[in-house]
Amino acid sequence: MFNRRKNKLMKGTHANLSKGFITGSEKTDWHNNALWFLRAKRDMQRDTIPDWEKLRATAAAIKDHTLSRLPEYLQRFEENAIKNGIQVHWAWDDAELREITASILRENNAKSVVKSKSMLTEECGLNPYLEKEGFDVVDTDLGERIVQLRKEHPSHIVVPAIHLKKEEVSDTFHEKMNTEKGNSDPDYLASAAREALRKDFMRADAAITGVNFGVAESGTVVVCTNEGNADMGVHSKKTVIHCMGMEKLVPGYKELAVFTRLLARSATGQPVTVFTSHYRKPRPETTEHIIIVNNKRTDIFEDPEFRQAMRCIRCGACMNTCPVYRRSGGHSYHHTVPGPIGSVLAPFYGKEKNKDLPFASTLCGSCNNVCPVKIDLAGLLYRWRQKLTDETSPDLSKKIGMDIGSKILKSRTTYSLATRAFRWVPGSVLQSGLNPWNVTAKNGHKERIFPDVPGESFREWYKKNQE
Amino acid sequence: MTVGLFVPCYIDQLYPKVGRDTLEVLEKAGCKVVFLQDPLCCGQPMANSGYESKTRDFEKPFLKVLPEVDYLVTPSASCSYHLSHHLLKPFVAAEELAKVKELTEFLHDIIGPDKIHASFPYRVGLHLSCHGLRGLNLGTPSELKVPYYSKIEKVLAAVDGLDLVVPSKADECCGFGGSFAVFESAVSVKMGCDKMKTMSGAEVSYVAATDMSCLMHLEGVFRAEESTMKVMHIAEILNAGA
Ligand code: SF4
């Protein structure tokens, strides 16, 4: 199943996959509006905080500070967590995270796991691995449960099933959980899922959570959820594992407060998530573990240009605002984290296979402005474009076009020859399918037409009239 | 005041009227305008496509003229942004770089916002092109919590009869994005169509912007969809009917 899922992810480029999302379904407008709704709610929450921009600047500065002393803070975090009775593990990459998790489960005789929201375990392919190893894994975040039942991948990091309409969820639940056929009332579906999940919570032997923040001064992990599902797992299981990316650290509680004010407001336009759970000490007779994961984060950390991407708190605001993401859907990005930040991170996980992603943007910069930690996303995408063009196999037609274009535009002689020739090309040709500017739908409907070329250029006019 | 006028390649070829109107607006503003023959392109089409390396030497003609003029003005926010943030940045000190101005920015900051009189008695929808808005700070982007201002609206305020509308999502990208328009044509066209819908919903006759590249894309979509809306560069409005 792991391989199948991987293949699904790699099929096609963003341009092709988004075409499918746009033309193959009427969902685009609906998807666009659903995400814009989150952006609008975010704007409303922003307006409740007079010093919003200062808060963002502070958050960015705190993250930069923490990253500049990351080894020190990681060490302090580990020491404090151990003092609290938590076992700390270090995973260099995705494989180590999977293996450490499985061995903890085996040591504790755990066969089944309830898991709360974690994009990190998604990134590391934990579910398929555990299933292959014979464990039973249930995602307990409602959105993640839906995509898990459908054997899909989250299409968004905060709202994983945002690509699905309630009718599709209804069909899936009918098929997998035997809910009433055709009943797509969201309350009905949510309570059916909740009921099934309650049984999973009772049955499971262990709980796994993601981590939003790790507080170095106390060794605490902080998990933000709206459904309380992390708490239900952590508070009822004898074996608890928190999986944390190493960039999640903040120095102390004072700094944490800056981020809890920003996270939910930026993500879903809520003043705060319904649950902000602090896990510090294991309950009696419980073993609690934190796995600190690298998985390429040191590569990003060591790159002076891209280090700022490590500030990301995975709020998803850059996706909600992105005009391309909203219309093309998260799966078109064929990487665990989609949207602007996903396209910045993806090439670190494979330049060749992800080289299209930094180009799946108009560089409009809206993401930069919503990002609570002020990552220059558009600037980093621009940098990737240069690097990937140098470091991956070229798209020949594009390369030739750019070669010719730059030669023409470099000298007045070639420019005037080329543009004179251009003026000879009949409009019927310029407005035909030979010109890639013109777009025609499958049904023959024209969607974009090249402009009529005027009789003389500005330069020609200037020569005649002004010189 | 001597102003060097840079007319970007695609305006030269496809929208010469925008070049002429810019020239005349600058002259109306009392500038001595020198049309810059040598710079042909800022290099943005290549650089945004990942081929910045192919624009080496593109800076040379700009570097040559910059010391000779008080300002270097261009009717394209994205070209101006590319010049000041990428192409010329490694070569030029900040105060020299500040001489590079997009047209409305120049009129607003240097000439004074109410100095250009024109007459354009139509309902016009403003599209806030991304590079002008978020790159050159021509106004308040909808994402930020900063006091509202708009250099474009101020400059257009002196146009007689103009019924200027800033529709909802006026600062959502139109979908042009340089070579994105071609390589990601499905999303690009969809974004253009959505922009068309908000504009026609606002019942405007014209859509105006600081960038002809956005407008070329929108014009292409309007035409395919047989919309009656026309596109118009800010310079064309500022030089209308006067
Ligand atoms: S890059 Fe910024 S906006 Fe995007 S998910 Fe990360 S923190 Fe949120």
Side-chain angles (χ1 to χ4, degrees):
Chain A
M1 183 179 138
F2 186 36
N3 282 334
R4 199 177 62 210
R5 206 185 266 201
K6 219 169 179 182
N7 285 340
K8 222 182 193 173
L9 281 180
M10 280 157 57
K11 199 174 61 191
T13 59
H14 181 272
N16 289 332
L17 294 167
S18 62
K19 221 172 266 174
F21 192 77
I22 288 175
T23 49
S25 95
E26 274 89 57
K27 268 202 305 202
T28 319
D29 289 334
W30 171 83
H31 187 263
N32 180 5
N33 290 335
L35 287 152
W36 185 259
F37 178 70
L38 293 179
R39 159 71 207 274
K41 273 176 73 193
R42 172 251 175 221
D43 290 354
M44 275 158 65
Q45 279 303 322
R46 166 201 65 191
D47 289 340
T48 64
I49 297 193
D51 280 340
W52 179 258
E53 299 305 333
K54 204 168 145 198
L55 199 62
R56 288 174 67 223
T58 309
I62 293 170
K63 278 284 178 183
D64 279 348
H65 162 85
T66 317
L67 290 169
S68 73
R69 290 164 178 71
L70 192 59
E72 198 182 310
Y73 280 119
L74 281 168
Q75 206 176 340
R76 198 177 305 169
F77 175 80
E78 181 187 31
E79 281 163 14
N80 287 325
I82 291 172
K83 256 187 245 160
N84 295 335
I86 291 187
Q87 297 175 43
V88 179
H89 313 255
W90 298 82
W92 180 254
D93 57 13
D94 51 347
E96 278 194 16
L97 170 92
R98 299 193 294 261
E99 284 152 20
I100 293 169
T101 310
S103 71
I104 295 170
L105 294 175
R106 279 195 201 103
E107 276 159 30
N108 291 282
N109 288 322
K111 289 261 170 300
S112 58
V113 188
V114 275
K115 196 166 131 264
S116 76
K117 188 87 189 309
S118 161
M119 285 312 289
L120 175 64
T121 57
E122 193 67 41
E123 167 191 320
C124 294
L126 183 65
N127 282 15
Y129 176 81
L130 290 181
E131 281 161 11
K132 201 183 83 208
E133 295 292 304
F135 297 96
D136 182 24
V137 190
V138 175
D139 277 318
T140 59
D141 170 89
L142 181 56
E144 279 201 330
R145 183 64 182 149
I146 295 168
V147 294
Q148 188 188 28
L149 288 172
R150 292 173 62 92
K151 299 196 182 350
E152 283 181 354
H153 215 61
S155 70
H156 187 289
I157 61 175
V158 172
V159 277
I162 192 74
H163 60 291
L164 296 169
K165 297 186 92 162
K166 57 182 198 269
E167 290 76 16
E168 292 166 282
V169 176
S170 167
D171 289 346
T172 304
F173 279 15
H174 171 68
E175 190 190 315
K176 309 276 178 182
M177 296 183 333
N178 206 20
T179 56
E180 223 173 277
K181 194 172 169 56
N183 189 341
S184 55
D185 173 43
D187 287 336
Y188 168 73
L189 294 174
S191 68
R194 201 167 299 146
E195 210 166 293
L197 282 170
R198 285 285 189 276
K199 288 185 193 129
D200 295 318
F201 274 118
M202 302 295 283
R203 202 167 41 84
D205 306 312
I208 297 178
T209 79
V211 171
N212 291 97
F213 305 103
V215 185
E217 73 176 11
S218 65
T220 307
V221 295
V222 179
V223 181
C224 305
T225 73
N226 277 327
E227 298 164 27
N229 52 320
D231 281 353
M232 278 196 282
V234 173
H235 291 165
S236 65
K237 298 302 146 205
K238 292 246 177 286
T239 306
V240 174
I241 306 171
H242 308 287
C243 301
M244 178 176 93
M246 58 184 257
E247 82 286 10
K248 296 287 180 192
L249 287 191
V250 291
Y253 285 111
K254 209 168 75 196
E255 291 80 13
L256 175 68
V258 171
F259 292 97
T260 46
R261 292 185 82 196
L262 281 168
L263 176 64
R265 286 190 168 90
S266 301
T268 50
Q270 295 167 275
V272 70
T273 42
V274 179
F275 298 85
T276 302
S277 310
H278 294 233
Y279 302 125
R280 185 162 181 174
K281 279 191 166 109
R283 284 172 294 109
E285 291 163 48
T286 302
T287 56
E288 195 156 349
H289 304 255
I290 298 174
I291 309 176
I292 302 174
V293 184
N294 177 7
N295 200 30
K296 313 261 190 233
R297 282 160 179 73
T298 39
D299 295 355
I300 307 171
F301 177 77
E302 275 161 13
D303 188 317
E305 258 177 340
F306 286 89
R307 178 186 285 192
Q308 55 170 308
M310 294 264 288
R311 292 181 202 149
C312 175
I313 58 170
R314 300 288 193 273
C315 71
C318 57
M319 291 151 217
N320 303 345
T321 202
C322 178
V324 176
Y325 174 89
R326 275 187 272 120
R327 289 171 180 83
S328 61
H331 289 152
S332 64
Y333 292 82
H334 59 83
H335 182 68
T336 313
V337 179
I341 185 64
S343 298
V344 167
L345 298 172
F348 283 100
Y349 297 85
K351 286 188 182 140
E352 194 62 41
K353 72 173 181 191
N354 293 319
K355 65 180 179 186
D356 58 315
L357 293 178
F359 293 90
S361 159
T362 61
L363 305 182
C364 77
S366 182
C367 47
N368 289 35
N369 284 349
V370 295
C371 177
V373 286
K374 299 186 77 157
I375 299 171
D376 178 14
L377 292 154
L380 295 181
L381 292 174
Y382 178 85
R383 288 314 314 154
W384 262 134
R385 292 181 182 193
Q386 314 309 325
K387 278 162 79 87
L388 292 169
T389 299
D390 287 346
E391 295 168 23
T392 62
S393 65
D395 169 341
L396 276 182
S397 65
K398 186 171 172 186
K399 185 170 184 303
I400 292 168
M402 294 298 152
D403 261 333
I404 296 174
S406 66
K407 292 233 166 72
I408 291 174
L409 294 165
K410 219 171 236 177
S411 108
R412 251 160 85 181
T413 329
T414 49
Y415 182 78
S416 102
L417 280 174
T419 51
R420 235 175 289 156
F422 169 67
R423 252 141 237 294
W424 279 99
V425 182
S428 57
V429 173
L430 287 173
Q431 289 170 355
S432 75
L434 291 170
N435 179 353
W437 178 261
N438 301 307
V439 181
T440 307
K442 273 212 186 87
N443 62 11
H445 175 68
K446 286 204 163 77
E447 295 183 318
R448 186 177 60 202
I449 300 172
F450 195 73
D452 295 327
V453 178
E456 61 182 5
S457 70
F458 175 77
R459 279 162 192 276
E460 286 163 340
W461 171 84
Y462 187 82
K463 203 162 177 190
K464 265 197 245 155
N465 293 277
Q466 305 273 323
E467 269 179 353
Chain B
M1 191 189 316
T2 308
V3 168
L5 169 64
F6 166 52
V7 176
C9 47
Y10 70 99
I11 293 187
D12 175 46
Q13 287 302 309
L14 297 172
Y15 298 101
K17 179 173 178 294
V18 174
R20 293 202 299 272
D21 286 327
T22 306
L23 178 73
E24 285 170 20
V25 167
L26 289 171
E27 283 173 346
K28 272 204 288 192
C31 306
K32 176 173 175 281
V33 186
V34 186
F35 169 57
L36 306 177
Q37 293 279 359
D38 263 329
L40 298 157
C41 171
C42 65
Q44 188 187 197
M46 279 71 74
N48 278 1
S49 308
Y51 286 91
E52 203 178 55
S53 58
K54 296 219 178 291
T55 66
R56 257 172 230 138
D57 296 342
F58 273 54
E59 72 281 359
K60 289 204 171 130
F62 291 100
L63 296 178
K64 195 158 153 254
V65 299
L66 211 49
E68 295 162 11
V69 296
D70 295 308
Y71 293 97
L72 193 157
V73 176
T74 183
S76 163
S78 71
C79 297
S80 173
Y81 177 84
H82 191 74
L83 286 173
S84 56
H85 288 71
H86 294 292
L87 188 74
L88 304 181
K89 206 174 172 193
F91 305 101
V92 183
E95 79 250 30
E96 191 76 353
L97 210 52
K99 285 161 79 174
V100 178
K101 298 266 181 222
E102 179 276 331
L103 177 66
T104 40
E105 183 187 29
F106 174 74
L107 295 174
H108 179 275
D109 295 0
I110 311 299
I111 300 297
D114 47 2
K115 297 283 161 51
I116 304 295
H117 295 281
S119 161
F120 195 70
Y122 298 98
R123 192 168 162 85
V124 175
L126 195 55
H127 164 60
L128 297 166
S129 297
C130 303
H131 283 87
L133 187 74
R134 300 188 187 87
L136 300 177
N137 304 319
L138 295 182
T140 313
S142 60
E143 304 91 9
L144 295 183
K145 187 168 170 61
V146 292
Y148 187 82
Y149 72 97
S150 165
K151 293 185 182 180
I152 304 172
E153 285 173 56
K154 279 202 173 152
V155 167
L156 289 176
V159 177
D160 278 343
L162 179 67
D163 179 11
L164 190 69
V165 193
V166 184
S168 67
K169 296 195 188 176
D171 71 353
E172 183 175 38
C173 179
C174 68
F176 170 66
S179 57
F180 177 92
V182 169
F183 293 107
E184 289 265 1
S185 58
V187 186
S188 173
V189 165
K190 177 71 182 134
M191 287 165 74
C193 273
D194 289 347
K195 183 60 75 176
M196 179 180 73
K197 279 181 207 145
T198 57
M199 287 294 176
S200 62
E203 297 180 338
V204 301
S205 314
Y206 291 88
V207 174
T210 52
D211 283 74
M212 221 43 232
S213 45
C214 308
L215 294 176
M216 171 181 168
H217 165 65
L218 290 176
E219 182 186 41
V221 173
F222 292 179
R223 205 167 150 182
E225 299 297 331
E226 294 174 1
S227 162
T228 55
M229 289 187 296
K230 298 254 176 307
V231 298
M232 193 150 247
H233 190 274
I234 302 280
E236 295 180 271
I237 296 180
L238 290 171
N239 201 34

